[in-house]
Structure formats: C-alpha cells, structure tokens
Amino acid sequence: EAQVTQNPRYLITVTGKKLTVTCSQNMNHEYMSWYRQDPGLGLRQIYYSMNVEVTDKGDVPEGYKVSRKEKRNFPLILESPSPNQTSLYFCASSLSLGGPLADTQYFGPGTRLTVL
Amino acid sequence: AQTVTQSQPEMSVQEAETVTLSCTYDTSESDYYLFWYKQPPSRQMILVIRQEAYKQQNATENRFSVNFQKAAKSFSLKISDSQLGDAAMYFCAYRSALGTNAGKSTFGDGTTLTVKP
C-alpha cells in the first residue's frame, strides 16, 4: 500500500531533550516536506527536500533540522525542543516530475508533539 | 512571498445543497499549482482537487469542482449535493512550480464546513 508513515504518532517530552520524528514513504517520491499545524492556523512549511541531499527552508525553520540521506526517509530533528514547538506535525511527499499527479502531496497521519 | 487567504472561517450547508468555499492568493509567479485539502476530525489530510495554473479549464472531481480565476487570483471550491461526510476543515493550498521557490507550499487558515441533516 502506498503510504507516508510517521513515528511516533504521539510524543510528550521536556524542554531541551533532543528528539527525532521519522518520516518514510514507499512511493519513490523525490519531494518530501515537513509542516506544523497549530490551532486556528493552516499548515506552515518547516523544511522541504526536492531530492536526496537537497533541502531548503520553508516559512518556519527556526529550531528544526532535517536531513535527506535516502530517498525514502526525511527525519525532522528538534535538537533542543521548547514549549512553542508543541504542535501537530505532518510529513508529506510527492512526485516532482511531470504527469497528472505531479506535485500532489500525500500526507502522513501526523505526529502530535507536546513539549513541557 | 506567496499568501493564501480563506476569508470564511466557518460555513454551513444543508444536506443535499450546494456550498462554495472561497480562496484567494497572492503571487508574482506564473506557474504554480493550487489544491483543496479536506481534514476530518481524524486530522488526516485528504486531497480533494488540484488545479494547474496553466490550465484554463476548471478541475472537477465528482461532486467537487473549482472556479479558477487566474487574473483575479481566486480559487473557490464548490461542493454539490453535500453529504454528512463532507463535514470537515477545508484548506486551500498553493505550491510553486518553477525556479528558486519550486517546492515551497503555502496553506490558508482553513474553513470549517458543517453539514446539517
């Protein structure tokens, strides 16, 4: 089954304790992206990657790191989490080449992170 | 930077009726994609419909259709024959297609749709 998976789905942590949220897709998509969603707001892009070893900042990259060493994986790293990073996080992927489904993003189920 | 505005935080519709959700965007780019996503209470993001900016023809997917007005930078979603299962948050989204911004995505703040039986 074609899908984007995220782990963990729920996480409660404390300020300053490094954490990684994993994202994996099995569709051979070139493009992957991370978003956060806060109450009353839409999704805001954190980082995105057009392909392996290529990453770019989105609108809200502060406090986050990413890496793209393999095509299928795109982990989100919070080296020193703070309470303002409490949010719902989504990973997404898409084909970036042409075709009828190019650039349509497929989303993971979300990771609810609470930083105390 | 691109912006996406959904001016209706909440909308309601009677079952079997038609409702239109509004979306406007601002960009200086000529090539881009526009999307409507549905987010039910499960929080899963589900693609409803997509539109390529270079296509003049409005996209249609079953009961869902868009009115894409490129010059006005407007991208509204029409839901016909509304069903109880259509109740959700709907997000309008913009994605750059070319150049240095290729891959950047911007979402509106969403419209909560209630369907009344």
Side-chain angles (χ1 to χ4, degrees):
Chain A
E1 179 189 355
Q3 60 183 350
V4 179
T5 56
Q6 295 179 227
N7 282 293
R9 293 288 312 280
Y10 303 90
L11 179 60
I12 300 174
T13 189
V14 296
T15 299
K17 186 176 181 181
K18 182 179 178 179
L19 66 91
T20 299
V21 183
T22 64
C23 174
S24 183
Q25 50 91 7
N26 61 1
M27 297 169 278
N28 202 35
H29 285 171
E30 296 89 359
Y31 175 92
M32 298 184 75
S33 183
W34 276 103
Y35 300 87
R36 62 177 288 173
Q37 184 181 19
D38 299 298
L41 298 177
L43 277 68
R44 291 181 292 168
Q45 194 174 37
I46 303 171
Y47 271 96
Y48 62 98
S49 170
M50 299 296 283
N51 215 323
V52 176
E53 302 291 0
V54 179
T55 62
D56 281 291
K57 295 179 180 179
D59 293 324
V60 289
E62 295 78 18
Y64 304 95
K65 286 178 59 177
V66 292
S67 67
R68 188 90 181 274
K69 292 181 170 51
E70 305 167 279
K71 198 172 188 179
R72 64 181 291 126
N73 296 323
F74 190 45
L76 179 69
I77 303 158
L78 285 72
E79 296 215 324
S80 184
S82 62
N84 64 13
Q85 292 179 298
T86 292
S87 190
L88 178 61
Y89 290 86
F90 287 99
C91 179
S93 71
S94 71
L95 287 167
S96 61
L97 300 178
L101 294 178
D103 294 282
T104 296
Q105 294 186 72
Y106 297 89
F107 285 83
T111 294
R112 188 167 292 282
L113 172 65
T114 301
V115 184
L116 302 174
Chain B
Q2 291 74 33
T3 59
V4 175
T5 302
Q6 293 179 248
S7 59
Q8 307 152 317
E10 298 178 350
M11 292 283 285
S12 67
V13 63
Q14 207 70 33
E15 195 176 6
E17 298 292 307
T18 296
V19 65
T20 298
L21 308 184
S22 300
C23 173
T24 58
Y25 60 95
D26 190 26
T27 184
S28 58
E29 299 174 336
S30 59
D31 197 9
Y32 49 87
Y33 299 91
L34 296 166
F35 305 88
W36 279 98
Y37 284 92
K38 170 185 177 181
Q39 188 180 47
S42 67
R43 296 296 196 176
Q44 179 68 41
M45 295 291 288
I46 302 165
L47 176 69
V48 175
I49 201 165
R50 72 176 241 144
Q51 175 83 42
E52 292 93 338
Y54 63 86
K55 288 187 176 180
Q56 291 188 333
Q57 186 175 6
N58 290 325
T60 301
E61 288 287 341
N62 301 312
R63 297 183 294 109
F64 300 88
S65 61
V66 298
N67 183 4
F68 173 48
Q69 302 288 329
K70 191 173 183 179
K73 296 178 183 174
S74 172
F75 183 62
S76 61
L77 174 69
K78 185 171 82 170
I79 306 174
S80 304
D81 186 25
S82 296
Q83 300 175 359
L84 295 177
D86 295 333
M89 177 83 84
Y90 286 81
F91 291 100
C92 179
Y94 172 104
R95 178 166 169 188
S96 301
L98 295 174
T100 56
N101 283 333
K104 292 204 77 170
S105 290
T106 303
F107 283 72
D109 289 342
T111 296
T112 299
L113 178 66
T114 301
V115 180
K116 299 177 180 178

